[in-house]
Amino acid sequence: LPNPQERKYRVNFTARYSFPSDTSLKGFFVGGNYGWRSKSALGFFTRPAQPEEVFKGGFAGIGAGSFDVPDFSQPIEGTTLTTIDAFCGYRRKFHRGKLEWSAQVNIRNLLDDREFIPQRAFGYQSNGVNEFRYTNYTIPDPRRFIFTNTISF
């Protein structure tokens, strides 16, 4: 039984390039991050209730077939998620190599993707055809610039 909103697979790649020390760009570095998440189950389509699901323990509740129940064999899947981030910075030693100063700028959501991310869906049958509507969304954070200034010893 798929757990709603749980993504089974995830992949992250991070790369960084530091410029050689024999160039005018000594101490500078650039890099990026790529993240991918698999589809998640947002809900389930429905099916008519069966008599054995309704008449339990000698109690005759609502008649079978008169209402729908979730069909756990038919999940409603969301979309995959992809994130792209970037960073650049500068690092150098000073005070006879005892201290190191670094400055870095991170850019989250580099492409400024603002498409709503569906989180839940409601499945139903319309004229015998499975249909669904999204009911909850997550609004992604806009592009962000994060500056970090560090002294290490």
Side-chain angles (χ1 to χ4, degrees):
L1 182 64
N3 185 6
Q5 299 181 0
E6 183 177 300
R7 295 177 184 276
K8 188 172 182 178
Y9 303 105
R10 65 178 52 212
V11 175
N12 288 312
F13 293 107
T14 301
R16 175 181 161 145
Y17 177 77
S18 297
F19 291 93
S21 60
D22 60 348
T23 68
S24 61
L25 295 176
K26 174 185 175 182
F28 284 96
F29 58 89
V30 295
N33 183 64
Y34 171 84
W36 177 86
R37 308 288 181 267
S38 63
K39 295 178 180 181
S40 64
L42 303 180
F44 299 93
F45 288 110
T46 60
R47 60 173 173 73
Q50 300 300 312
E52 60 272 11
E53 296 172 311
V54 178
F55 302 109
K56 292 187 178 185
F59 174 72
I62 301 172
S66 65
F67 65 98
D68 290 339
V69 294
D71 185 352
F72 296 116
S73 68
Q74 296 188 63
I76 300 168
E77 291 186 331
T79 59
T80 60
L81 291 180
T82 302
T83 58
I84 298 175
D85 304 326
F87 59 88
C88 64
Y90 179 74
R91 171 175 285 155
R92 71 171 280 176
K93 292 187 179 208
F94 65 99
H95 196 61
R96 288 177 257 161
K98 294 180 182 178
L99 299 175
E100 182 178 80
W101 169 69
S102 65
Q104 181 171 330
V105 175
N106 294 335
I107 305 170
R108 301 274 168 86
N109 191 6
L110 180 65
L111 304 178
D112 201 22
D113 182 8
R114 296 195 185 195
E115 187 174 329
F116 288 6
I117 303 166
Q119 295 297 321
R120 291 208 175 124
F122 172 74
Y124 60 95
Q125 288 203 357
S126 176
N127 298 323
V129 176
N130 281 332
E131 296 192 25
F132 68 92
R133 298 280 185 262
Y134 294 126
T135 59
N136 294 63
Y137 294 89
T138 297
I139 301 170
D141 288 334
R143 181 185 302 135
R144 289 189 305 166
F145 294 85
I146 302 165
F147 179 73
T148 306
N149 196 22
T150 306
I151 296 180
S152 303
F153 51 92

